[in-house]
Amino acid sequence: MHKRKKGQIVGQIFIYIMVVIVVGVIMLFGYQGIQNILEKKCQVEQLQFKTDIENMIGKYNGYGSVEIKTITTPCDYDEVCFVSVDAKKTGFGCDANGIIKNAYDESVKQNIFVVSKGRTFPIGYSNLLTTNETQECTCIKQKNGNFYLTFIGQGSHTNVTTQ
């Protein structure tokens, strides 16, 4: 029978420890790399979403035109909110959302907002945007990873509602 020497056992333990350390470092850098890729993917999706919404509002304002669109929800958006450019101070429909109300009260040029994980962010502005006259602020929840929007041309404006 072959006896192992004490030096061989210590050498094998050292090799196992080094392998565990190297694998751990590779996994850590791999995880960070994947996280960075996912973050950049989200940023691209968010920018594309903003651009698509603004372009559709501008494109579908012809009087009587009706376009029904399904837009994929970027990353973790829960809602998209629209505030009419001609909203009046009385009867404003988004009083419950402090960020939107503050932007409105301060006359900030932001009228497209998204809600993500309970936080509201302004993402854009369109001087063609209107909502239902009875509701000067319309928030639409995403369903199954999509926003279902209807763009109704008013000639000089585009009314955005849910399908």
Side-chain angles (χ1 to χ4, degrees):
M1 241 204 220
H2 184 0
K3 285 187 173 183
R4 291 188 179 201
K5 294 183 180 178
K6 197 174 190 175
Q8 286 178 324
I9 294 173
V10 170
Q12 287 178 346
I13 291 172
F14 178 74
I15 289 172
Y16 290 134
I17 291 172
M18 289 304 295
V19 167
V20 168
I21 290 172
V22 169
V23 168
V25 168
I26 289 171
M27 287 177 63
L28 179 66
F29 284 119
Y31 176 77
Q32 288 175 343
I34 291 170
Q35 285 299 101
N36 287 339
I37 289 169
L38 291 176
E39 270 183 39
K40 292 207 184 317
K41 179 181 175 263
C42 278
Q43 290 171 352
V44 168
E45 286 178 0
Q46 291 167 346
L47 183 59
Q48 186 63 49
F49 179 79
K50 170 194 179 307
T51 304
D52 287 349
I53 293 286
E54 289 174 342
N55 287 342
M56 287 177 199
I57 292 170
K59 182 178 178 181
Y60 301 126
N61 70 332
Y63 185 79
S65 69
V66 176
E67 290 290 329
I68 299 170
K69 293 291 183 184
T70 300
I71 303 172
T72 303
T73 305
C75 303
D76 52 5
Y77 287 175
D78 301 315
E79 279 181 283
V80 61
C81 298
F82 302 98
V83 179
S84 181
V85 291
D86 55 0
K88 298 165 189 68
K89 296 272 184 194
T90 57
F92 182 66
C94 276
D95 288 340
N97 190 312
I99 301 293
I100 296 174
K101 181 151 177 25
N102 285 343
Y104 173 76
D105 288 344
E106 299 294 323
S107 299
V108 175
K109 282 209 170 211
Q110 294 290 337
N111 63 353
I112 305 169
F113 299 84
V114 293
V115 179
S116 174
K117 298 178 183 171
R119 296 181 61 200
T120 303
F121 302 95
I123 63 162
Y125 177 79
S126 174
N127 61 348
L128 301 174
L129 176 63
T130 63
T131 59
N132 293 334
E133 287 182 25
T134 57
Q135 216 176 347
E136 294 170 335
C137 174
T138 299
C139 290
I140 300 166
K141 293 183 184 292
Q142 65 99 351
K143 294 177 189 165
N144 302 321
N146 294 306
F147 287 110
Y148 300 96
L149 304 173
T150 301
F151 298 87
I152 303 167
Q154 311 271 310
S156 61
H157 290 84
T158 304
N159 186 314
V160 182
T161 63
T162 189
Q163 289 180 0

